[in-house]
Amino acid sequence: MVYPNLDVSEMFVEREAQRSSMHTRHLNEQLVRVLKTIGYDVGFQRGTGQYLFDRDGARYLDLLSGFGVFAIGRNHPVMRNALKSVLDADMPNLVQMDVSTLAGILSEKLLENVPYMDKVFFANSGAETVEAAIKFARNATGRDGIVYCDHAYHGLTYGALSLTDDTNFRTGFGPLLSGCTTVPFNDLEALEKALSSKQVAGFIVEPIQGKGVNLPTDEFLSGAAALCRKYGTLFIADEIQTGLGRTGKFLAIEHWNVEPDMILLAKALSGGHVPVGALLTQKSIFDKIFNRMDRSLVHGSTFGKNDLAMAAGIATLEIMKHEKLVENAAKRGAELRLALQNMIPEFELLKEVRGKGLMIGVEFGPPKSLRLKASWNILESASKGLFCQLITVPLFKEQKILTQVSGHGSHTIKLLPPLVVTEDDGKWIENSFRTVIADSHKVPGAIWSLGKTLVDNAVRKSA
């Protein structure tokens, strides 16, 4: 049988101008409307490393990195070659009644970096690893309860959503998973009260919370681990965003010298090409789930150990090791945080810069001067957190920097650049933030005119 030449890259070029209309008709129309409203519909054509290029050839610095998946940058040649080598080899992928060689190799490489763990379970995404952690914790302990923290984000599938403290995501999807309760982040007293019933299977926590880039106190994570041991609860570290070098250590939990019972990984492990999630745990826990031959498939994921995903994970770890990306994240992150922190005395709207490695939160807050306060209050009354959009939009349109507000109603902009960013990129970020923040202190000014437009849009939407 003769097939026509199937060149998907050619399809991309031919249909690029229709991307918005196709999404409006067949996919998410509201997302298209958002992008057009804030001027983000530039039609990205190409990505390489930490840079994106739009339909006019303009270069952007990507501080979003696909919500953290592009730790090694976009379209890394080593990653491309690794994936092509799998496709060219005619491997016996997903036989199912067999075991995967590449899964064995990737699990070895992961466990070399986390020597207190013994076993790995592979899934297709971070949310799937959270679902697996819920099941594993309940099975291993014989308990039902799961405790999570306020402001947590653990995913949007049903179990994961039940552990995500955000009404914007949860509204309309209840009832959610029973037995899930929340405690304040950094509150050991509240955590002990929740665990003391001895009915809690697992306590799940992001070492650094993605929504807001909230850091734990020096005592919280180690104290939480001790409480989990005291009451027989499994400690689950959600490192889906913070893991694999993001914070300047292989795992963020290493900053506080804590060894969890489970570690959840995804995002960056994919290399940005083939989704993969991994749950790391100890043999004593793993063997309680897969405890007999007739339960060898009691939990699984059809595509979880597919050869392309395993190859992507292997290549990611090799690239990170060879290019010293964990070390680069620590160095560039420290430089960038210092540069941004030094701006705080200059700008009354800039309140705090926090984070570790290349996971950085830039928080804004109410000004003291009357003229700025009046403008701030108008924005806040229309939509909480709207001010941050007045920073991200000109960063994008004028400074060619792509970033995001760190959550619904948040006053914090989150920076998650690829771990390959350079010293020059850091200067680009510093100068761009300085320019845009300085403009935000001019009333009247272009930024506040944008604010009026966004407020008017919000009013029309509510009407």
Side-chain angles (χ1 to χ4, degrees):
M1 182 179 294
V2 178
Y3 283 91
N5 181 35
L6 185 61
D7 188 332
V8 178
S9 64
E10 190 174 293
M11 285 184 187
F12 175 90
V13 173
E14 290 176 352
R15 304 292 300 277
E16 189 280 324
Q18 303 169 40
R19 65 168 72 189
S20 291
S21 61
M22 287 190 292
H23 272 256
T24 296
R25 177 172 295 183
H26 305 300
L27 294 153
N28 189 340
E29 179 180 359
Q30 298 306 323
L31 177 58
V32 174
R33 294 178 66 186
V34 168
L35 294 176
K36 288 185 175 181
T37 298
I38 61 177
Y40 278 44
D41 56 334
V42 298
F44 287 114
Q45 302 289 302
R46 184 167 62 89
T48 178
Q50 61 271 50
Y51 307 118
L52 291 163
F53 300 84
D54 69 16
R55 61 171 62 98
D56 296 322
R59 186 181 70 153
Y60 296 73
L61 181 57
D62 179 14
L63 304 189
L64 182 57
S65 61
F67 297 141
V69 303
F70 289 104
I72 63 170
R74 278 183 168 79
N75 298 310
H76 196 291
V78 172
M79 175 63 66
R80 180 185 294 114
N81 289 337
L83 297 178
K84 287 173 65 177
S85 72
V86 171
L87 293 173
D88 291 342
D90 294 331
M91 291 182 178
N93 190 23
L94 293 175
V95 175
Q96 305 298 5
M97 294 306 291
D98 194 6
V99 291
S100 165
T101 301
L102 294 185
I105 294 170
L106 178 54
S107 56
E108 274 187 348
K109 291 183 177 295
L110 284 170
L111 295 170
E112 284 172 3
N113 289 281
V114 193
Y116 55 87
M117 294 297 192
D118 309 302
K119 296 282 188 174
V120 181
F121 173 84
F122 287 115
N124 298 299
S125 67
E128 274 198 20
T129 66
V130 173
E131 300 288 344
I134 294 170
K135 291 178 68 175
F136 283 21
R138 285 181 163 181
N139 189 297
T141 63
R143 301 174 177 181
D144 295 336
I146 305 290
V147 172
Y148 63 100
C149 290
D150 62 356
H151 303 292
Y153 180 92
H154 295 292
L156 299 180
T157 52
Y158 254 88
L161 182 60
S162 304
L163 310 177
T164 293
D165 183 37
D166 189 323
T167 55
N168 193 53
F169 288 122
R170 295 164 67 109
T171 299
F173 296 111
L176 298 176
L177 190 67
S178 63
C180 301
T181 56
T182 181
V183 297
F185 190 61
N186 280 328
D187 190 334
L188 288 173
E189 183 177 347
L191 179 60
E192 180 160 25
K193 183 177 179 181
L195 300 187
S196 62
S197 67
K198 297 188 177 180
Q199 298 301 310
V200 177
F203 169 59
I204 185 169
V205 65
E206 304 154 274
I208 300 174
Q209 290 189 318
K211 183 184 176 184
V213 193
N214 300 318
L215 273 70
T217 61
D218 291 341
E219 303 81 19
F220 180 63
L221 294 176
S222 59
L227 289 173
C228 286
R229 287 192 298 272
K230 178 179 179 181
Y231 293 108
T233 297
L234 298 181
F235 186 101
I236 305 165
D238 180 344
E239 295 261 8
I240 292 164
Q241 187 166 106
T242 57
L244 299 174
R246 168 59 57 191
T247 69
K249 300 249 184 212
F250 186 79
L251 299 173
I253 204 85
E254 294 172 21
H255 289 287
W256 295 277
N257 298 312
V258 174
E259 296 183 358
D261 299 298
M262 294 187 217
I263 294 169
L264 312 183
L265 301 171
K267 291 191 182 293
L269 191 59
S270 68
H273 286 281
V274 188
V276 57
L279 182 156
L280 281 57
T281 191
Q282 291 137 7
K283 187 177 187 299
S284 60
I285 294 170
F286 202 84
D287 286 351
K288 289 181 179 178
I289 289 84
F290 303 101
N291 60 340
R292 302 190 309 265
M293 284 193 290
D294 65 333
R295 288 178 61 82
S296 62
L297 299 176
V298 72
H299 185 67
S301 179
T302 301
F303 289 96
K305 296 187 290 292
N306 78 83
D307 285 341
L308 284 173
M310 299 299 96
I314 292 166
T316 294
L317 295 178
E318 288 298 314
I319 292 165
M320 290 180 61
K321 180 179 178 181
H322 182 76
E323 299 185 9
K324 300 186 184 305
L325 294 188
V326 179
E327 294 85 348
N328 193 63
K331 179 177 175 59
R332 299 302 170 211
E335 293 170 351
L336 183 54
R337 287 197 310 278
L338 180 60
L340 294 170
Q341 286 167 349
N342 286 341
M343 297 181 197
I344 293 174
E346 302 177 46
F347 302 115
E348 59 179 301
L349 287 163
L350 181 58
K351 298 302 180 185
E352 186 179 13
V353 177
R354 58 183 176 271
K356 286 188 180 293
L358 286 170
M359 184 175 185
I360 299 172
V362 182
E363 184 175 355
F364 297 86
K368 295 181 179 179
S369 61
L370 293 178
R371 187 167 58 170
L372 282 173
K373 186 181 295 185
S375 298
W376 171 277
N377 290 339
I378 290 172
L379 289 181
E380 283 295 291
S381 63
S383 179
K384 182 181 178 182
L386 189 57
F387 175 80
C388 279
Q389 295 293 348
L390 305 192
I391 302 297
T392 60
V393 171
L395 276 174
F396 182 79
K397 296 177 72 173
E398 299 165 16
Q399 305 299 325
K400 299 296 185 283
I401 283 184
L402 174 63
T403 188
Q404 67 172 141
V405 180
S406 71
H408 183 72
S410 173
H411 293 124
T412 299
I413 294 174
K414 181 164 64 175
L415 312 186
L416 287 176
L419 308 189
V420 298
V421 290
T422 65
E423 184 177 2
D424 286 343
D425 295 328
K427 294 295 183 184
W428 182 355
I429 297 167
E430 177 187 354
N431 293 335
S432 297
F433 266 87
R434 179 179 294 280
T435 297
V436 173
I437 294 172
D439 287 346
S440 74
H441 286 69
K442 299 173 183 176
V443 180
I447 279 184
W448 296 101
S449 295
L450 171 63
K452 183 179 184 304
T453 299
L454 294 178
V455 168
D456 291 343
N457 285 337
V459 171
R460 282 197 298 271
K461 180 180 177 182
S462 64

